[in-house]
Amino acid sequence: AIHEKTEYPGKNKYFYAPSDTKGVEKFLKELRERQNDLTEVLRTGGVQDWEGYQRILGELSGLSSAERIIIDLQNIREQTDVI
């Protein structure tokens, strides 16, 4: 259903999907904060070993892909709302 509550991964929060743009924006904000936190760990040399470095790069890659998909879906929705 359009107004069904969707669990927010890793948090005790919810957002309404897909029509709740505030929820989507909040999700994107937290996703970007996580990207920034991980980038800061890399920038400051906070990685303990090669495996940790690879894990952070993998997580950054996944977050970046998720962000792009969400933005693309928002753009598609905006285009179909205009029509």
Side-chain angles (χ1 to χ4, degrees), residues 10-73:
K11 302 280 183 179
N12 291 328
K13 302 175 184 175
Y14 295 90
F15 70 94
Y16 290 89
S19 64
D20 180 15
T21 58
K22 285 184 182 179
V24 173
E25 289 304 320
K26 182 175 176 77
F27 184 83
L28 283 172
K29 179 182 176 204
E30 293 206 21
L31 184 146
R32 290 172 180 143
E33 286 174 4
R34 179 66 180 159
Q35 287 175 314
N36 290 337
D37 291 346
L38 292 171
T39 300
E40 184 67 13
V41 168
L42 292 176
R43 191 182 69 73
T44 60
V47 180
Q48 307 247 336
D49 55 23
W50 179 248
E51 288 176 8
Y53 177 77
Q54 288 179 312
R55 183 192 60 77
I56 289 174
L57 287 183
E59 188 172 344
L60 281 169
S61 176
L63 290 169
S64 180
S65 294
E67 179 184 31
R68 185 76 254 153
I69 290 167
I70 293 167
I71 291 169
D72 288 347
L73 289 171

